[in-house]
Amino acid sequence: MFTLETKLDLNKESLKKNYSEFISLLNEYKTVLKKTTNGGSDKAKDLHKKRGKLLARERIDLLIDQNTPFLELSPLAAYNQYDNNFPSAGIVTGLGIIHGKEVVIIANDATVKGGTYIKESIKKHLRAQEIAMENNLPCIYMVDSGGVFLPEQANVFPDRDDFGRFFYNQARLSAAGVPQISIVMGSCTAGGAYVPAMSDEVIIVKNQGTIFIGGPPLVKSATGEVVSAEELGGALVHTSESGVADHLAENDHHAIQICRNIFESISPKERQVLERKEIEEPLYDPEELYYLAPMNFRKPIDSREIIMRIVDGSKFHEFKKDYGVTLVTGFAHIMGFPVGIIANNGVIFSETSLKGAHFIELCSERKIPILFLQNITGFIVGKQYERAGIARDGSKMINAVANTNVPKFTVIFGGSFGAGNYAMAGRAYNPKLLFMWPNAKISVMGGEQAAGVLTQIKEEQLKKYGKELSPEEKSKLEKEILEKYEKEGSAYYSTSRLWDDGIIDPVDTRKVIAMGIATSLNRKYEDTKYGVFRM
Ligand code: COA
């Protein structure tokens, strides 16, 4: 492979300006992340600790192997919604390692409204189970939850992908041979009781964990029976009488150790072989990405400059370098894992789509995971291009992206607009993981374009009645649309609603993708079959 060489002088004023703007954005992100991952109120945390319980993230730290990473997913879920009363949507999910095996961890944070579920908590829980299913990863549920957040019941109970889906997934995962382990460290009420009940193996903490279909207040109102929580569904009841739980733990530490011991007898069923090389750091410092992360989407950035700061040794075997130049494709290694890279270098033309589809075929044949680096304003528009069949050629790339069975990973490092999002493995195309840099933006089109389209529509409507927009009305309308797109297109807005798996610091891109590839090896990559390519 050839080593990429930079063409940039980082001392250039415009790049230094980009750097300082990006750093302030990154610092803002880190401040928000720190505050949010601190969990619920100090009062709730104090009470939680007084009860002898560990906090959700402390529990996870003890569960995973020492000195191994925990890749937390969507820590900013529900951010800037519900008056910020649900930090991380009251649930911590992510990928960790236990006895050297990758696992999915789902831990309720009881310091956030009793660990109850709003829409975003449900989405996080289901997304974690989806990752488990796709990668054959055992699930550990660290349960401490009051179930549904009752005022939000209409948004969390009735639909297909709502609360009930947890237990459907557990049944399907267990049937697929994916271990389901629960540690009951607090409340499991009503439907929540089925998290442990549907698990393969259950640990419950004495004087702390409870499991019941109806809590004491409900029992009293339904039958008149007065009973304490411990008597109704405490750890002793379930480990010695009901058989709902299998292991009695003295405290959180003990429960976590029992769970780790369970993993001594669990081994992966199958593994994909991927030839791994010695890890090499990139030749160019990944921190230089701060100079390049696009803060202004009007200024083009050669995506090779991004690639050389992410891949091992900055080495890249480029494919079709001089054809379809608005897409950069080629092979590289990330933390020793082979990877095919598809990166935007401008709008998508017909030849760009064909090149993308061809490269995806190569990766699929060779069983090499694909990393999509998105910075895309969309497909080329205009009479000439429509007549040449841009939609026909674009559909080939979208077909290839949708059908390839090698793992796809997507990082949005700039803009993600329009159908470009589809061709570049946006959320709807099932990338195994999708992350955004803090500067990234996502929307159906750029704000300025949307403002242009919507004011034109308004003007055409008014014309029918012989009216027109005054310059003031026009600029007011444009301003409103721009502001709306600015807000709704931001990475924070996206991550709050789980349109992605989280916002990452650009320097972590290598590690995050490597962890994704490592987890994907727990399932064999299937052969790819494409449908009909429109010719
Ligand atoms: N819906 C909405 N809010 C709930 C809730 C629920 N199911 N369960 C708890 N909360 C809220 C409480 O109102 C409180 O809110 P606040 O901080 O604004 O005052 C907060 O969560 C903490 O609850 P609290 O009871 O003070 O904490 P706790 O640690 O002593 O007890 C539970 C936590 C979950 C054991 C207890 O609140 C409980 O039993 N909740 C009801 C569970 C239930 O019946 N769920 C059925 C739904 S399927």
Side-chain angles (χ1 to χ4, degrees):
M1 281 187 196
F2 294 112
T3 306
L4 290 168
E5 275 181 40
T6 187
K7 295 199 170 60
L8 295 177
D9 172 8
L10 298 182
N11 284 315
K12 213 171 134 189
E13 273 318 308
S14 60
L15 293 181
K16 286 200 312 203
K17 182 167 171 279
N18 196 89
Y19 178 88
S20 66
E21 284 175 9
F22 186 82
I23 289 291
S24 65
L25 199 67
L26 187 65
N27 288 340
E28 179 200 341
Y29 160 67
K30 286 185 175 169
T31 309
V32 169
L33 185 67
K34 194 166 170 214
K35 187 160 181 283
T36 308
T37 52
N38 202 15
S41 66
D42 288 344
K43 194 172 143 227
K45 278 184 294 206
D46 283 348
L47 183 64
H48 187 85
K49 286 183 196 162
K50 271 198 196 113
R51 288 170 169 168
K53 294 167 148 194
L54 294 167
L55 297 171
R57 290 180 178 83
E58 291 174 341
R59 287 169 171 167
I60 293 171
D61 278 350
L62 284 173
L63 179 65
I64 60 175
D65 293 351
Q66 269 184 19
N67 301 320
T68 59
F70 175 64
L71 177 56
E72 185 169 337
L73 301 171
S74 301
L76 296 187
Y79 175 66
N80 272 347
Q81 298 188 73
Y82 312 94
D83 295 326
N84 277 328
N85 277 328
F86 285 88
S88 303
I91 189 166
V92 186
T93 61
L95 301 168
I97 298 171
I98 301 180
H99 286 301
K101 296 150 199 149
E102 289 90 10
V103 299
V104 161
I105 301 171
I106 301 178
N108 300 117
D109 183 350
T111 69
V112 178
K113 298 281 179 198
T116 52
Y117 283 78
I118 50 171
K119 186 176 170 193
E120 289 70 19
S121 344
I122 306 252
K123 278 185 116 176
K124 269 180 91 163
H125 191 122
L126 292 178
R127 171 70 182 141
Q129 287 183 317
E130 180 179 47
I131 291 172
M133 184 62 105
E134 285 183 351
N135 298 289
N136 269 346
L137 301 180
C139 296
I140 296 138
Y141 304 89
M142 303 181 103
V143 195
D144 197 346
S145 163
V148 161
F149 181 72
L150 292 169
E152 287 288 317
Q153 71 86 22
N155 289 323
V156 294
F157 176 67
D159 207 354
R160 193 193 70 169
D161 289 327
D162 279 347
F163 205 83
R165 194 75 177 181
F166 297 175
F167 320 118
Y168 170 86
N169 282 346
Q170 279 184 252
R172 306 288 296 196
L173 281 157
S174 184
V178 179
Q180 302 293 295
I181 314 292
S182 280
I183 317 179
V184 182
M185 312 177 101
S187 182
C188 293
T189 309
Y194 286 104
V195 176
M198 300 291 293
S199 291
D200 302 346
E201 208 162 334
V202 178
I203 305 146
I204 185 165
V205 181
K206 209 162 130 185
N207 298 325
Q208 206 171 288
T210 52
I211 308 171
F212 28 66
I213 300 294
L218 181 67
V219 172
K220 189 175 172 207
S221 68
T223 66
E225 188 183 19
V226 177
V227 59
S228 74
E230 205 56 33
E231 265 181 290
L232 185 65
L236 290 172
V237 170
H238 287 311
T239 48
S240 61
E241 281 190 51
S242 73
V244 175
D246 312 303
H247 306 274
L248 179 69
E250 292 299 320
N251 51 38
D252 279 8
H253 284 86
H254 186 209
I256 288 165
Q257 188 54 50
I258 297 172
C259 183
R260 288 186 51 82
N261 293 350
I262 289 174
F263 274 83
E264 286 173 334
S265 68
I266 292 177
S267 39
K269 283 191 309 197
E270 53 175 39
R271 284 191 66 81
Q272 172 67 32
V273 180
L274 209 55
E275 209 172 305
R276 202 173 169 185
K277 278 192 175 175
E278 195 78 14
I279 300 173
E280 264 184 90
E281 287 305 310
L283 213 59
Y284 296 91
D285 187 349
E287 288 206 7
E288 290 175 2
L289 291 167
Y290 301 156
Y291 289 88
L292 315 174
M295 298 295 294
N296 174 353
F297 299 146
R298 285 183 183 280
K299 288 194 191 142
I301 168 85
D302 183 348
S303 50
R304 291 174 194 87
E305 297 285 346
I306 306 285
I307 294 168
M308 69 180 75
R309 289 165 175 90
I310 290 178
V311 303
D312 288 9
S314 305
K315 289 178 193 147
F316 190 53
H317 174 64
E318 193 162 348
F319 173 74
K320 275 187 181 309
K321 184 169 184 280
D322 300 317
Y323 179 85
V325 293
T326 55
L327 196 70
V328 174
T329 53
F331 294 100
H333 285 80
I334 292 183
M335 309 280 280
F337 293 111
V339 65
I341 296 185
I342 302 185
N344 299 115
N345 230 14
V347 292
I348 301 181
F349 290 87
S350 278
E351 61 273 23
T352 323
S353 308
L354 299 177
K355 173 176 169 178
H358 186 167
F359 186 70
I360 292 165
E361 285 184 304
L362 288 186
C363 294
S364 307
E365 279 303 307
R366 295 175 194 178
K367 301 265 168 77
I368 293 178
I370 308 174
L371 170 61
F372 290 83
L373 292 173
Q374 268 202 31
N375 178 26
I376 180 69
T377 45
F379 280 83
I380 190 76
V381 297
K383 190 165 106 182
Q384 170 195 352
Y385 302 105
E386 298 294 352
R387 289 183 170 213
I390 179 68
R392 175 171 46 85
D393 289 333
S395 75
K396 295 189 185 89
M397 184 168 174
I398 295 176
N399 185 336
V401 170
N403 277 316
T404 181
N405 274 330
V406 293
K408 294 169 286 204
F409 300 92
T410 304
V411 173
I412 306 180
F413 74 93
S416 175
F417 300 113
N421 168 284
Y422 311 152
M424 290 296 290
R427 192 64 150 179
Y429 289 78
N430 261 4
K432 295 261 177 199
L433 293 169
L434 185 152
F435 293 99
M436 297 182 86
W437 286 4
N439 57 304
K441 292 219 169 1
I442 181 163
S443 49
V444 65
M445 57 175 75
E448 284 171 29
Q449 290 81 354
V453 170
L454 286 168
T455 39
Q456 266 186 57
I457 293 173
K458 193 83 213 156
E459 281 173 330
E460 290 300 322
Q461 275 177 345
L462 291 173
K463 222 193 242 173
K464 288 181 206 151
Y465 304 102
K467 293 183 189 164
E468 58 180 36
L469 283 175
S470 70
E472 295 75 36
E473 283 170 334
K474 188 173 170 187
S475 72
K476 182 169 172 277
L477 185 62
E478 281 172 346
K479 188 167 166 272
E480 280 169 5
I481 298 162
L482 268 174
E483 281 172 1
K484 184 174 162 62
Y485 269 69
E486 188 61 29
K487 179 175 157 235
E488 293 180 0
S490 91
Y492 289 116
Y493 196 90
S494 164
T495 210
S496 174
R497 288 157 183 78
L498 276 100
W499 300 343
D500 55 55
D501 292 307
I503 298 175
I504 54 168
D505 180 337
V507 298
D508 292 334
T509 306
R510 272 169 66 69
K511 282 184 266 175
V512 164
I513 297 305
M515 180 110 183
I517 297 175
T519 54
S520 77
L521 300 177
N522 288 282
R523 176 186 281 275
K524 279 214 154 57
Y525 301 172
E526 286 168 26
D527 291 342
T528 295
K529 180 181 176 301
Y530 301 102
V532 174
F533 282 112
R534 178 167 296 279
M535 295 298 179

